Structure formats: structure tokens, C-alpha cells
Coordinates of all heavy atoms in Angstrom, one line a residue:
K208 N 7.2 19.9 -12.8 CA 7.0 21.3 -13.1 C 5.7 21.9 -12.4 O 5.7 23.0 -12.0 CB 6.8 21.5 -14.6 CG 8.1 21.3 -15.4 CD 7.9 21.5 -16.9 CE 9.2 21.4 -17.7 NZ 9.0 21.5 -19.1
S209 N 4.7 21.0 -12.2 CA 3.5 21.5 -11.6 C 3.6 21.6 -10.1 O 2.9 22.3 -9.5 CB 2.3 20.5 -11.9 OG 2.5 19.3 -11.3
G210 N 4.5 20.8 -9.5 CA 4.7 20.8 -8.1 C 3.6 20.0 -7.4 O 3.5 20.1 -6.1
L211 N 2.8 19.4 -8.1 CA 1.7 18.6 -7.6 C 2.2 17.1 -7.4 O 3.2 16.7 -7.8 CB 0.5 18.6 -8.5 CG -0.1 20.0 -8.8 CD1 -1.2 19.9 -9.8 CD2 -0.6 20.6 -7.5
S212 N 1.3 16.4 -6.7 CA 1.6 14.9 -6.5 C 0.5 14.1 -7.1 O -0.6 14.6 -7.4 CB 1.7 14.6 -5.0 OG 0.5 14.9 -4.3
I213 N 0.8 12.9 -7.4 CA -0.1 12.0 -8.0 C -0.6 11.0 -7.0 O 0.2 10.3 -6.3 CB 0.5 11.2 -9.2 CG1 1.0 12.2 -10.3 CG2 -0.5 10.2 -9.8 CD1 1.7 11.6 -11.5
K214 N -1.9 10.8 -6.9 CA -2.4 9.8 -6.0 C -3.3 8.8 -6.9 O -4.4 9.1 -7.2 CB -3.3 10.3 -4.9 CG -2.5 11.2 -3.9 CD -3.3 11.6 -2.7 CE -2.5 12.3 -1.7 NZ -1.4 11.5 -1.1
A215 N -2.6 7.7 -7.4 CA -3.2 6.9 -8.4 C -3.5 5.5 -7.9 O -4.0 4.6 -8.6 CB -2.3 6.8 -9.6
C216 N -3.3 5.2 -6.6 CA -3.4 3.9 -6.1 C -4.3 3.6 -4.9 O -4.0 2.8 -4.1 CB -2.0 3.4 -5.8 SG -0.9 3.2 -7.2
T217 N -5.3 4.4 -4.8 CA -6.2 4.3 -3.7 C -6.8 2.8 -3.6 O -6.8 2.2 -2.5 CB -7.4 5.2 -3.8 OG1 -6.9 6.6 -3.9 CG2 -8.3 5.1 -2.6
H218 N -7.3 2.3 -4.7 CA -7.9 0.9 -4.6 C -6.8 -0.1 -4.3 O -7.0 -1.0 -3.4 CB -8.5 0.6 -6.0 CG -9.2 -0.7 -6.0 ND1 -8.5 -1.8 -6.6 CD2 -10.3 -1.2 -5.5 CE1 -9.3 -2.9 -6.5 NE2 -10.4 -2.6 -5.8
D219 N -5.7 -0.1 -5.1 CA -4.6 -1.1 -4.9 C -4.0 -1.0 -3.5 O -3.7 -2.0 -2.9 CB -3.6 -1.0 -5.9 CG -4.0 -1.5 -7.3 OD1 -5.0 -2.2 -7.3 OD2 -3.3 -1.3 -8.3
A220 N -3.9 0.2 -3.0 CA -3.3 0.4 -1.7 C -4.2 -0.3 -0.6 O -3.6 -0.9 0.3 CB -3.2 1.9 -1.3
Q221 N -5.5 -0.3 -0.8 CA -6.3 -1.0 0.2 C -6.1 -2.5 0.1 O -6.1 -3.2 1.1 CB -7.8 -0.7 -0.1 CG -8.2 0.8 0.2 CD -7.9 1.2 1.6 OE1 -8.3 0.4 2.5 NE2 -7.4 2.3 1.8
I222 N -5.9 -3.0 -1.1 CA -5.6 -4.4 -1.3 C -4.3 -4.8 -0.6 O -4.2 -5.8 0.2 CB -5.5 -4.8 -2.8 CG1 -6.9 -4.6 -3.4 CG2 -5.0 -6.3 -2.9 CD1 -6.9 -4.8 -4.9
Y223 N -3.3 -4.0 -0.8 CA -2.0 -4.2 -0.2 C -2.0 -4.0 1.3 O -1.3 -4.7 2.0 CB -0.9 -3.3 -0.8 CG -0.7 -3.6 -2.3 CD1 -0.6 -2.6 -3.2 CD2 -0.4 -4.9 -2.7 CE1 -0.4 -2.9 -4.5 CE2 -0.2 -5.2 -4.0 CZ -0.2 -4.2 -4.9 OH 0.0 -4.5 -6.3
N224 N -2.9 -3.2 1.8 CA -3.1 -3.0 3.3 C -3.3 -4.4 3.9 O -2.7 -4.7 4.9 CB -4.2 -2.1 3.6 CG -3.8 -0.6 3.5 OD1 -2.6 -0.3 3.4 ND2 -4.8 0.3 3.4
G225 N -4.3 -5.1 3.3 CA -4.6 -6.4 3.9 C -3.5 -7.4 3.8 O -3.2 -8.2 4.7
L226 N -2.8 -7.4 2.7 CA -1.6 -8.4 2.5 C -0.5 -8.0 3.5 O 0.1 -8.9 4.1 CB -1.1 -8.3 1.0 CG -2.1 -8.8 0.0 CD1 -1.6 -8.4 -1.4 CD2 -2.2 -10.4 0.1
V227 N -0.2 -6.7 3.6 CA 0.9 -6.3 4.5 C 0.5 -6.6 6.0 O 1.3 -7.0 6.8 CB 1.2 -4.9 4.3 CG1 2.3 -4.4 5.3 CG2 1.8 -4.6 2.9
A228 N -0.8 -6.4 6.3 CA -1.3 -6.6 7.6 C -1.1 -8.1 8.0 O -0.7 -8.5 9.1 CB -2.7 -6.2 7.8
D229 N -1.5 -9.0 7.0 CA -1.3 -10.4 7.2 C 0.1 -10.8 7.5 O 0.4 -11.6 8.4 CB -1.8 -11.2 6.0 CG -3.3 -11.2 5.8 OD1 -4.0 -10.8 6.8 OD2 -3.8 -11.5 4.7
A230 N 1.1 -10.2 6.7 CA 2.5 -10.4 7.0 C 2.9 -9.9 8.3 O 3.6 -10.6 9.1 CB 3.3 -9.7 5.9
N231 N 2.5 -8.7 8.7 CA 2.9 -8.1 10.0 C 2.3 -9.0 11.1 O 3.0 -9.2 12.2 CB 2.3 -6.7 10.1 CG 3.1 -5.7 9.3 OD1 2.6 -4.5 9.2 ND2 4.2 -6.1 8.7
D232 N 1.1 -9.5 11.0 CA 0.6 -10.4 12.0 C 1.4 -11.6 12.3 O 1.4 -12.2 13.4 CB -0.9 -10.8 11.7 CG -1.9 -9.7 11.8 OD1 -1.5 -8.6 12.4 OD2 -3.0 -9.8 11.2
L233 N 2.2 -12.0 11.3 CA 3.0 -13.2 11.4 C 4.5 -12.8 11.8 O 5.4 -13.6 11.8 CB 3.0 -14.0 10.2 CG 1.7 -14.8 9.9 CD1 1.8 -15.5 8.5 CD2 1.4 -15.8 11.0
G234 N 4.7 -11.5 12.1 CA 6.0 -11.0 12.4 C 6.9 -10.7 11.3 O 8.1 -10.8 11.4
I235 N 6.3 -10.4 10.1 CA 7.1 -10.2 8.9 C 7.1 -8.7 8.5 O 6.0 -8.2 8.3 CB 6.6 -11.0 7.7 CG1 6.6 -12.5 8.0 CG2 7.5 -10.8 6.5 CD1 5.9 -13.4 7.0
S236 N 8.2 -8.0 8.4 CA 8.3 -6.7 8.0 C 8.2 -6.6 6.5 O 8.8 -7.5 5.8 CB 9.6 -6.0 8.5 OG 9.6 -5.9 9.9
V237 N 7.7 -5.6 5.9 CA 7.6 -5.4 4.5 C 8.3 -4.1 4.1 O 7.8 -3.0 4.4 CB 6.1 -5.4 4.0 CG1 6.1 -5.3 2.4 CG2 5.4 -6.7 4.4
V238 N 9.4 -4.2 3.4 CA 10.2 -3.0 3.0 C 10.0 -2.8 1.5 O 10.2 -3.7 0.7 CB 11.7 -3.2 3.4 CG1 12.5 -2.0 3.0 CG2 11.8 -3.5 4.9

């Protein structure tokens, strides 16, 4: 109803950035 978006995962997203980067470095896609 508000038309707004929620950004609730700034901290966790940074953690996942590292984990996904490690996977990508080994040639693993993350879907």
C-alpha cells in the first residue's frame, strides 16, 4: 500500500557477499 521498499539486510548482505565471492572464486554460481 505504501509503495515503498524494505531494506533490512545490509549487515547480512555483507556477510553473504564474502560467502558468495568464495563460491564464485571456485567457479560455483549461486542462484
Side-chain angles (χ1 to χ4, degrees):
K208 289 181 177 179
S209 70
L211 301 175
S212 60
I213 299 176
K214 293 189 178 296
C216 292
T217 304
H218 179 262
D219 283 350
Q221 293 301 317
I222 295 174
Y223 293 131
N224 280 344
L226 292 168
V227 174
D229 289 343
N231 287 172
D232 287 345
L233 292 175
I235 304 172
S236 297
V237 180
V238 180

